[in-house]
Amino acid sequence: MSDQFWAKSSGETIVHHTQQLLTNYDQIRDYYPGIPVNWDLLRLICQYHDLGKMNHLFQEKIREGVMRKEGEIPHALLSIAFFPIKQLREHYSQGELKAAAYAIALHHERNFSQIETDQYKHEIALLKEPAESFLFEEIGLSKPIDIKRPLVKYYSLKHKLSSGDECFGDYVKLKGLLNRIDYAASGGYKVEYPADFLNKNMPKVRESWQEKHSDSSIDWNEMQKYVQVHQEDNLIVIGQTGLGKTEAGLLWIGDNKGFFTLPLRTAINAIYERIRKGISDEDKYQEQVGILHSDSLAVLLAEQEENKEVELDQLESYLTETRGWSLPLTITTLDQTFDFVYHYAGFEQKLATFAYSKVVIDEIQMYSPDLLAYLIKGLKEIQDFGGKFLVMTATLPPYLLDLFEKRGLKWKMNDQPFLNQGLLERHHLQILEEGISAEAVAELYHSGNLLVICNTVRKAKEIYQELQKLVDDVPIHLIHSQFIRKDRQDKESAIQKFADEKQVGIWVATQVVEASLDIDFDLLVTELSELNGLFQRMGRCYRKRPLAECKQPNVYVFDGGENVTSGISNSEQAVVHQEIFSLSKEALRKKGTGIFHELDKMSLIEQTYTTEKMKSTAYYERIETMLHWLSAIEDDNKNPAEVRKLFRNIQSRNIIPESVYTAFRGEIDDCIRILSSSLRELESTDEKNLRMFKRKKKAELENYMMAIPEWLFRKCLKQNQVRCEQIGRFDQIFFVEGKYESEIGFQVLKGEEESNFF
């Protein structure tokens, strides 16, 4: 009887598990019938994928609860012996059958290098006996005529398919979707939810605008209408800041599976909140929108505090599903989603999902050369597999368009940038040919609210501390990335409230305010970084109002005089590469002090960032080198841990400053103790859901953490400033020596270099 064949140590049978896969298969096909995959073939591989588990060694292993048995062959390799290629040749091409055989054989990433051919043949021969009593009809199959190893032209034991293989595209889609369907069945969650809420609910956004302004004639603007007309196209849209790009992105996604990517976690959290509260269905938002970034858990737990109806069990399954990419709309960062470009072991799930998704890329100007390379290669693969992309930006450098074209990307674009006719003149800019100083800032401040943006944390701290001595009776605040999470969140809320309520005072900041916070100040004083960054920063001043007093500047830019501003160098850690800074400074000085019309900003970008001017820079070379390298290694089949290491130079490391540990030792030790305990050890507590209890403790612990760049972490490591503590079997936590103050932030003991650490 089939119930004697287990698929899982829980006692779930092969038949029951396979039936679960077929239920998930029906679900994904119902919701997304347009996925460019051979549906009949996908169904077949769902039916055949686990049949190899009926072999005697697997059955013994699973009942005894051991990791492996001597001489055991991975079950997926045995499953392909049941796959009736001979009969299927009438219906499918050789390429399709090869893709299917590889998808079954490799649906678990295993190392086959030690497998002996004779042992493989022997184990296949032994399958005849269990096959006699297996109830194939219960999973819609007929009894196999013969059970034998596929011919080499369909499957070769130690070969991996690569991007050069003709059937590679079919293989990626079949294996990726099989993995999604299989993992959802094993995890007990839905493989997909219907994408059916954006078309229905986006009009609510328009109605809320009409109500707010008591004007029923308010409609979508030209940019928002343009993306609706071009919902089926890849698009690049250039539009002035404040035109409603988020709404445009959502209108373009419509009732399709969508990913909305942004460079900063704060921006992601803000958009997630807007969609959750203003667009999704109140009672179903957990089936509609999710977030995927390193702080996701904390955001969701905060939401659970606020909304008691969200049961912990629901929240736990929601987190699993977000990880499983089951929701129709996910707000995320590039590094969480685009790492598939490495083609690491198991990447197929992500690329197969993108094959039927629409991807919005916002704030493209903020990405480093490495991330731009991932982005270009990723978009090309998404396009080739059938997915769609929309790139939205206020300023688009022409060299980037040339790189897109050179790599074979295809898109449509509006002839003219989209502009808000009532807000064409918002900034009167004055260039100061000197380095920024607290004295100069104090002299420029007279009243109202002032935002000062520096390129590096070090410079921001210095200006903040000196201003406190120079300016009396005016509140002065500081925000940058070197705060532990709970302090950083307090700072973000405080600057938002400050700007909304038009409070009086000065905020000193770094790029963290460039693209993530919807704030509007009366006066901006900034160091020059480069033109894209400068225009982003200018969007934090007179954000949604025209210039009232044309004679008086509302933006002051310090360009460093004969020198560079902070954080500018030719090193990998620079905020901005020196050559790009020089191009920007030259262009800005040529334009000179005065009113900057929105079209002036766009034409300055067009004239400055041409391929001609850029291609001799180290920045451009880095993008090109990275693109070549990604293509060269795409078939190396790296493992996911290696890929995480490769993301190092764009990654940061979460740490707890030692002084924070000293201040909150009790709370931190409590979190570590619980996280290091097994579920069995925690049974004596009153907690009902122990897994979720541990997750909450992890989020609590992360409140005391902050990110530092990987290069700085390694430097501290060399200088013996890092202490490591193990949490359970797989996790560890790092404590770094340094001085921490909730007003100033973190300072490593031996001083860090200027860096892109903002």
Side-chain angles (χ1 to χ4, degrees):
M1 291 297 290
S2 287
D3 58 7
Q4 73 197 32
F5 297 113
W6 286 12
K8 311 267 177 210
S9 52
S10 62
E12 184 183 20
T13 63
I14 297 173
V15 163
H16 183 260
H17 177 62
T18 307
Q19 286 167 343
Q20 294 298 111
L21 260 80
L22 293 173
T23 302
N24 285 345
Y25 165 88
D26 290 338
Q27 202 170 70
I28 201 168
R29 188 170 184 174
D30 284 350
Y31 292 153
Y32 297 108
I35 296 177
V37 69
N38 186 320
W39 287 107
D40 295 340
L41 206 47
L42 179 60
R43 192 170 198 280
L44 277 173
I45 66 174
C46 288
Q47 290 166 295
Y48 281 97
H49 84 294
D50 263 1
L51 292 182
K53 285 183 174 178
M54 69 177 80
N55 91 84
H56 65 111
L57 288 173
F58 183 89
Q59 291 299 315
E60 283 169 25
K61 169 183 88 170
I62 206 159
R63 282 176 160 82
E64 291 166 18
V66 294
M67 289 300 277
R68 70 180 306 272
K69 298 285 280 187
E70 190 60 40
E72 186 192 349
I73 298 290
H75 73 267
L77 279 182
L78 298 175
S79 297
I80 55 172
F82 288 96
F83 195 55
I85 288 175
K86 198 172 174 182
Q87 290 93 298
L88 294 171
R89 280 191 312 211
E90 294 169 31
H91 310 286
Y92 302 101
S93 69
Q94 183 183 320
E96 287 174 318
L97 292 172
K98 184 177 179 179
Y102 273 90
I104 295 170
L106 302 176
H107 77 270
H108 291 294
E109 298 295 335
R110 297 277 186 270
N111 179 4
F112 296 162
S113 60
Q114 305 301 311
I115 292 172
E116 297 294 332
T117 309
D118 289 347
Q119 178 66 20
Y120 185 26
K121 279 184 189 160
H122 177 66
E123 289 299 319
I124 287 174
L126 292 178
L127 287 169
K128 288 190 173 63
E129 188 198 331
E132 280 306 312
S133 55
F134 188 85
L135 299 176
F136 288 92
E137 63 276 15
E138 289 197 11
I139 54 170
L141 295 175
S142 44
K143 243 188 180 52
I145 297 163
D146 45 16
I147 302 168
K148 64 177 189 186
R149 185 179 167 180
L151 298 173
V152 171
K153 65 178 176 179
Y154 296 108
Y155 181 74
S156 172
L157 185 57
K158 290 171 191 174
H159 175 68
K160 289 266 189 187
L161 291 180
S162 71
S163 50
D165 284 285
E166 260 180 63
C167 64
F168 183 70
D170 284 341
Y171 160 73
V172 168
K173 284 182 273 200
L174 289 170
K175 178 179 183 284
L177 292 171
L178 171 64
N179 283 151
R180 292 271 320 278
I181 288 167
D182 189 14
Y183 295 164
S186 298
Y189 59 83
K190 284 178 77 165
V191 65
E192 283 290 5
Y193 286 94
D196 60 2
F197 75 102
L198 283 175
N199 285 351
K200 174 181 70 145
N201 292 348
M202 282 306 287
K204 288 198 301 195
V205 176
R206 191 175 47 190
E207 284 155 26
S208 73
W209 293 345
Q210 291 169 349
E211 270 172 45
K212 189 179 170 186
H213 298 283
S214 308
D215 180 355
S216 59
S217 68
I218 290 176
D219 197 2
W220 301 122
N221 62 33
E222 291 309 307
M223 178 176 80
Q224 291 157 346
K225 287 176 180 169
Y226 176 82
V227 298
Q228 279 181 296
V229 171
H230 293 283
Q231 266 192 336
E232 293 310 306
D233 299 312
N234 291 337
L235 295 179
I236 293 178
V237 169
I238 301 175
Q240 183 180 341
T241 47
L243 267 186
K245 287 204 277 289
T246 304
E247 288 76 14
L250 297 173
L251 286 166
W252 176 76
I253 290 170
D255 284 351
N256 296 282
K257 192 172 181 72
F259 291 86
F260 206 113
T261 70
L262 292 121
L264 296 171
R265 285 178 300 203
T266 41
I268 289 171
N269 297 346
I271 286 183
Y272 168 71
E273 281 300 302
R274 272 169 65 190
I275 295 169
R276 179 171 83 83
K277 290 178 175 163
I279 298 169
S280 62
D281 295 323
E282 212 174 312
D283 54 338
K284 284 209 307 210
Y285 76 89
Q286 287 169 295
E287 298 174 7
Q288 293 172 341
V289 59
I291 40 175
L292 198 58
H293 63 68
S294 47
D295 273 359
S296 309
L297 176 62
V299 177
L300 296 169
L301 283 169
E303 176 187 307
Q304 192 253 334
E305 292 301 312
E306 168 196 323
N307 174 8
K308 295 296 179 207
E309 282 77 75
V310 183
E311 289 299 316
L312 284 179
D313 296 343
Q314 265 179 297
L315 190 56
E316 182 173 20
S317 70
Y318 175 55
L319 283 163
T320 315
E321 284 150 18
T322 306
R323 215 176 289 128
W325 293 38
S326 306
L327 298 165
L329 180 62
T330 305
I331 323 292
T332 183
T333 50
L334 208 58
D335 57 308
Q336 293 278 337
T337 43
F338 271 56
D339 54 354
F340 71 83
V341 297
Y342 282 111
H343 290 194
Y344 57 82
F347 80 96
E348 298 90 353
Q349 283 190 77
K350 288 187 179 179
L351 188 46
T353 305
F354 276 129
Y356 60 99
S357 299
K358 297 175 85 172
V359 188
V360 175
I361 308 290
D362 199 5
E363 310 291 3
I364 192 171
Q365 76 290 337
M366 288 198 72
Y367 289 120
S368 65
D370 290 2
L371 278 171
L372 282 173
Y374 300 135
L375 181 69
I376 293 167
K377 183 168 194 285
L379 291 180
K380 175 71 168 86
E381 293 197 334
I382 288 169
Q383 172 185 290
D384 291 350
F385 274 76
K388 301 261 191 294
F389 65 81
L390 160 62
V391 174
M392 299 190 297
T393 180
T395 52
L396 187 70
Y399 78 86
L400 210 46
L401 279 180
D402 292 346
L403 276 171
F404 276 20
E405 206 167 312
K406 191 172 161 188
R407 292 279 155 178
L409 288 173
K410 304 261 189 288
W411 69 87
K412 287 192 172 159
M413 195 171 163
N414 46 312
D415 300 331
Q416 292 299 316
F418 292 106
L419 300 169
N420 182 334
Q421 295 303 324
L423 290 176
L424 295 177
E425 292 185 348
R426 298 178 294 155
H427 301 115
H428 184 163
L429 181 141
Q430 182 161 341
I431 303 162
L432 299 156
E433 297 188 7
E434 58 186 277
I436 195 168
S437 68
E439 289 78 15
V441 173
E443 221 168 283
L444 290 169
Y445 179 74
H446 301 298
S447 62
N449 57 43
L450 161 65
L451 178 62
V452 181
I453 304 184
C454 303
N455 294 341
T456 62
V457 175
R458 178 184 289 189
K459 180 57 80 176
K461 287 177 184 170
E462 180 193 303
I463 297 283
Y464 168 76
Q465 285 166 316
E466 287 175 16
L467 272 178
Q468 287 189 308
K469 297 173 200 158
L470 292 169
V471 181
D472 294 329
D473 304 327
V474 173
I476 300 170
H477 314 272
L478 176 67
I479 184 170
H480 53 68
S481 67
Q482 286 184 347
F483 288 101
I484 60 172
R485 185 166 70 196
K486 66 192 187 77
D487 291 342
R488 191 185 77 213
Q489 287 170 338
D490 291 346
K491 296 255 176 203
E492 284 164 8
S493 305
I495 192 171
Q496 193 71 60
K497 186 168 185 259
F498 179 95
D500 291 347
E501 294 176 2
K502 291 281 167 218
Q503 294 175 20
V504 169
I506 300 172
W507 273 87
V508 182
T510 57
Q511 288 99 305
V512 286
V513 298
E514 240 176 61
S516 58
L517 298 165
D518 190 0
I519 51 177
D520 184 8
F521 278 71
D522 298 329
L523 189 62
L524 171 69
V525 172
T526 179
E527 289 190 279
L528 177 61
S529 55
E530 49 83 44
L531 291 180
N532 283 308
L534 173 63
F535 296 151
Q536 277 295 124
R537 291 174 187 190
M538 284 160 72
R540 312 299 124 192
C541 166
Y542 274 66
R543 187 164 173 74
K544 289 177 182 154
R545 46 188 167 142
L547 268 178
E549 180 56 71
C550 294
K551 296 188 188 88
Q552 203 53 44
N554 60 353
V555 177
Y556 292 90
V557 182
F558 288 85
D559 73 2
E562 294 303 303
N563 303 310
V564 295
T565 52
S566 71
I568 309 297
S569 74
N570 287 322
S571 86
E572 287 277 308
Q573 283 88 45
V575 175
V576 171
H577 288 235
Q578 196 154 343
E579 299 145 305
I580 291 173
F581 170 80
S582 301
L583 284 173
S584 300
K585 179 147 86 174
E586 190 188 327
L588 201 61
R589 284 187 178 180
K590 202 169 164 188
K591 169 83 176 75
T593 289
I595 291 169
F596 272 55
H597 189 285
E598 288 303 312
L599 285 171
D600 293 337
K601 296 174 191 174
M602 291 172 181
S603 64
L604 263 181
I605 296 285
E606 270 180 42
Q607 292 154 24
T608 308
Y609 294 119
T610 61
T611 301
E612 202 49 47
K613 287 180 182 170
M614 289 293 292
K615 69 180 176 198
S616 58
T617 66
Y619 181 92
Y620 187 90
E621 278 169 27
R622 176 79 191 165
I623 301 175
E624 285 279 32
T625 307
M626 198 67 194
L627 280 165
H628 287 307
W629 183 73
L630 283 171
S631 295
I633 63 135
E634 70 180 17
D635 297 324
D636 290 1
N637 205 45
K638 296 188 171 301
N639 69 43
E642 283 179 283
V643 167
R644 279 195 292 278
K645 278 185 196 142
L646 290 167
F647 261 83
R648 276 272 156 81
N649 53 350
I650 56 160
Q651 270 187 340
S652 48
R653 184 76 72 130
N654 277 340
I655 61 116
I656 295 180
E658 281 287 9
S659 52
V660 170
Y661 174 69
T662 308
F664 298 98
R665 179 176 300 212
E667 294 91 327
I668 292 171
D669 283 348
D670 181 52
C671 291
I672 291 173
R673 180 183 60 76
I674 288 161
L675 289 170
S676 303
S677 304
S678 67
L679 294 179
R680 190 164 288 162
E681 287 166 339
L682 293 173
E683 277 169 1
S684 57
T685 64
D686 296 334
E687 297 293 329
K688 288 191 179 72
N689 183 334
L690 294 175
R691 274 203 177 83
M692 209 57 219
F693 177 53
K694 286 183 85 161
R695 282 205 166 142
K696 284 186 83 165
K697 284 295 173 189
K698 187 166 195 291
E700 260 175 58
L701 184 63
E702 284 168 357
N703 276 331
Y704 303 103
M705 289 182 178
M706 54 169 280
I708 65 172
E710 188 65 32
W711 65 266
L712 180 58
F713 176 78
R714 301 199 152 269
K715 197 174 168 189
C716 293
L717 209 52
K718 274 187 192 150
Q719 295 170 342
N720 296 322
Q721 290 171 250
V722 179
R723 172 170 72 86
C724 174
E725 199 164 316
Q726 195 66 27
I727 299 185
R729 270 167 60 198
F730 304 110
D731 229 345
Q732 43 195 190
I733 187 164
F734 299 99
F735 299 88
V736 176
E737 287 177 33
K739 190 177 168 195
Y740 184 85
E741 295 169 53
S742 58
E743 268 314 302
I744 302 281
F746 184 54
Q747 176 78 45
V748 295
L749 281 186
K750 296 184 181 157
E752 72 272 30
E753 296 154 16
E754 297 278 25
S755 73
N756 55 6
F757 187 6
F758 47 82

